[in-house]
Amino acid sequence: MAEEALRATPRSRPARRPRPRPTRFLKPLAWLSAAGGLTAAATLLAPRVPVPDTFGPALFERLWFDDTWQQWSGYLLLAFSVGALLFGARKRLRPARRFGSYNWWRLFHAGLGICCVLLLFAHTGFRLGANLNAVLMSCYVAALLLGALAGLSIAAAHDLREMGIGTPGRPLFRTLIMAHLAVLSLLPALLIAHVLVVYLY
Amino acid sequence: MSRKAWIWVLWAAATIGACWMLAAWMLVAGDRRPFLIGETTDAHHQFEIACETCHAAPAFADAAKAEKALNKACRTCHDKELRAADDSHSTKRFRSPRMAAFREKLDARFCTSCHVEHRPEITRASAVSVAMDFCVACHSEGEQDVRKNRPSHAGLGFDTCASSGCHNYHDNRALYEDFLVKHAHAEWLALSPAHALAARQRSRAPAPAPEAALGRDDAAAPTAALGSAATVDDWAGSGHAAAGVNCAACHAPGAPGNASLSGIEPHWTDHPGTAACEDCHRPQARTFVLGRHGMRRHPRIAKPRDPAKELEALGLGDWLPEGLLAALEDPSPPARMAVHEARLPMRAEAAHRLLDCGSCHRPHAVDTAFAAVEACTSCHDDRHTRAYVGSPHHQLWLAELAGEAKPGTGVSCATCHMAKFKRRGLVVTNHNQNDILRPSEKMIRPVCLDCHGLRFALDALADPDLVERNFDGPPTVKVKSIDWAVRRAAAGEPEAGK
């Protein structure tokens, strides 16, 4: 009986917590986020690439001032942006979870973010634009920067906690993701207005 | 419903509402300047509020139709000017199938191929939005290769065609070879330099005082409105009084011609609009709206949209609730240009002024000498304007005003920038001060050649520093085109035409 009682006691003892499995792809996520953040910041900080002052088919001038080329780069940018939004769909649509782990989707999301920055460069050439376009561009760049910072803070979550930044209940990346989503929420209306202006005038 | 679901619903509603409002703003009515993709060019910014002036195609028209409508709008305002300039590269010329190869390089059938609006970064002088060596597109190979046709051009860069004082894309009236050869040997200054039309206008003997001529005591205005004695004196000494134009003609245009003071009073207005001037000075008024001073009154500027009509046209008669429809309204373009809206340097104290006839012509004195110089210098504050005072041209103007020189020998701001023309035997001043402003070679035939030789005029206008200094000395730039044209003519080479 006593032996049985002894065997039973471990049940009442607090169970030993399983050792946390290391999150996968954190390093690549950190690298991609850093690269994305830097290129997005360059959009704001780097000088404009000058337009050549000689007549002829110049790639950059076509990219940034030819309506047809801008239309293509714009739609490509839209397609990649929608692709990046699919990351949110994984959480809400159960069938989507069959296509890779959460960590893999997150890495893919960061990769698409970098593609978006590059396409944004192709579409605008680091130009902020004017009026409505300036608002749209600012929101887009802010969304990219916040996304990149969120990625970095996820990759460095443990270190940040040790440094006293964020709490286990409210880590820094959660705040950054919320800010990323808040800015993103403005984009559909601004994008629709941008496309309307292009086709109307 | 969970908190998250509520957030989703609120976000969707806000996004749909915002899209709805933005679409109504664009398609129905409202100030569309927040949608401008870039700064509008210097002249067009005055009516950028009225998008339909240029964007005349219906909403969602295909690209070809929209481009056609846009180019038609350019020609609506600029066609007359281009015809008068005997346009060297008329769009008509490029419609020929023979020009297909050239069109592929630069489609000169469309104004918008070289003049794209709202793109300040690529907009150069004269609102050209392609690189300034654009001549290379057609004149660098085949039959049109200028370096083969003209040995003198062999080492020249294409960026110098238009910047050297030799060629313009549209207006070459003072630059074609025959003209250069004809005027090649003219002295720098004519023997008796004077502007023929100005001389004719200013030396015109005053008409013998008609019986209707009015004097100080004839001023017929309600006592309260009569103003100061100086105002009445100004009027009494003006051409208006000499021609029998009494106060009521401008201040009470609705009153019958022979109305007594009591008949005038109900129609009296202290500030008559420009319509009062336009009634009599039609040629001046017609040209005034073509220049940057008066273009806000151009009849082709689109009127504000009627929201109800716009909805009807979109097949959405009841799409917007009545209350919202009333809230949407296109801003009316201001009827007059304000000095502070100008993009040239202007005097701070003149910033509040609005431009109409009375801005330059003091309405009671109607002093054309004041309008020709002081009116300009009281607003414009650039180096060229400031340098005018004391310049040789100004000295001549002062001498003429003092009666020490013959009529037409003085050179005022208006002499060069408001060239005169003949209409039905009368000399009329062109009130479109931009008509011959740019490219500056447009000024040569109607203005410079009255006093100066072509060679001197070409050199002077090609010297930007001299222009800034308001021609206070001889030009330091030498345009070679006359020498080359003379050499070609001497060698018996065929003339290339205009």
Side-chain angles (χ1 to χ4, degrees), chain B residues 204-443:
Chain B
R204 193 178 55 189
E211 283 174 16
L214 303 169
R216 198 183 185 290
D217 300 331
D218 298 314
T223 321
L226 210 48
S228 67
T231 307
V232 180
D233 283 342
D234 277 350
W235 167 79
S238 75
H240 280 160
V245 179
N246 212 327
C247 312
C250 302
H251 286 281
N258 53 357
S260 62
L261 206 55
S262 56
I264 290 169
E265 222 161 341
H267 300 280
W268 186 269
T269 169
D270 281 340
H271 302 287
T274 48
C277 313
E278 286 165 10
D279 269 353
C280 301
H281 302 279
R282 284 192 187 162
Q284 289 86 348
R286 253 201 299 268
T287 51
F288 179 64
V289 299
L290 301 174
R292 293 192 194 177
H293 286 166
M295 66 160 54
R296 284 245 165 101
R297 295 174 59 80
H298 196 288
R300 295 299 180 100
I301 290 179
K303 303 282 176 286
R305 294 172 295 175
D306 178 348
K309 273 189 190 165
E310 293 296 328
L311 278 177
E312 207 61 55
L314 290 166
L316 301 164
D318 304 317
W319 190 57
L320 277 179
E322 204 60 37
L324 205 54
L325 201 62
L328 280 173
E329 203 178 313
D330 261 9
S332 296
R336 292 178 289 177
M337 170 73 174
V339 173
H340 68 82
E341 293 175 272
R343 290 181 174 171
L344 291 173
M346 294 285 160
R347 286 179 181 275
E349 65 270 22
H352 64 282
R353 288 188 198 157
L354 297 169
L355 294 176
D356 58 20
C357 310
S359 322
C360 303
H361 298 280
R362 287 184 293 195
H364 293 102
V366 216
D367 179 1
T368 49
F370 172 84
V373 174
E374 282 85 354
C376 314
T377 54
S378 66
C379 291
H380 287 268
D381 197 24
D382 51 276
R383 199 177 154 208
H384 175 78
T385 308
R386 286 196 304 268
Y388 171 74
V389 180
S391 69
H393 283 161
H394 185 226
Q395 299 297 340
L396 290 167
W397 174 246
L398 293 178
E400 187 187 333
L401 285 185
E404 295 160 8
K406 287 181 185 168
T409 53
V411 184
S412 66
C413 307
T415 307
C416 299
H417 298 295
M418 299 172 80
K420 297 180 189 327
F421 61 93
K422 273 198 277 188
R423 185 177 174 271
R424 293 181 191 162
L426 284 175
V427 178
V428 179
T429 301
N430 186 348
H431 280 61
N432 172 9
Q433 71 294 327
N434 295 101
D435 192 34
I436 53 169
L437 190 65
R438 288 195 192 93
S440 54
E441 291 85 11
K442 284 170 96 174
M443 215 175 269

Side-chain angles (χ1 to χ4, degrees), chain A residues 102-122:
Chain A
Y102 178 81
N103 293 329
W104 191 90
W105 275 68
R106 186 166 58 194
L107 192 68
F108 184 64
H109 177 76
L112 283 176
I114 288 196
C115 294
C116 286
V117 184
L118 297 176
L119 280 166
L120 192 67
F121 171 71

Side-chain angles (χ1 to χ4, degrees), chain A residues 88-136:
Chain A
R90 186 194 179 276
K91 188 177 163 189
R92 287 160 189 90
L93 304 173
R94 197 171 285 271
R97 294 179 193 173
R98 273 183 289 170
F99 302 102
S101 68
Y102 178 81
N103 293 329
W104 191 90
W105 275 68
R106 186 166 58 194
L107 192 68
F108 184 64
H109 177 76
L112 283 176
I114 288 196
C115 294
C116 286
V117 184
L118 297 176
L119 280 166
L120 192 67
F121 171 71
H123 192 58
T124 65
F126 293 152
R127 284 162 183 81
L128 203 58
N131 302 314
L132 171 84
N133 286 356
V135 177
L136 173 59

Side-chain angles (χ1 to χ4, degrees), chain B residues 142-162:
Chain B
E143 283 177 21
Q144 291 291 325
D145 190 344
V146 285
R147 290 167 301 193
K148 276 188 197 158
N149 297 338
R150 301 275 199 288
S152 55
H153 288 45
L156 302 178
F158 281 95
D159 56 329
T160 61
C161 306

Side-chain angles (χ1 to χ4, degrees), chain B residues 384 459-461 463-476:
Chain B
H384 175 78
D459 292 349
L461 291 172
D463 185 342
D465 191 50
L466 185 65
V467 175
E468 290 278 287
R469 290 187 279 119
N470 214 310
F471 310 104
D472 65 350
T476 53

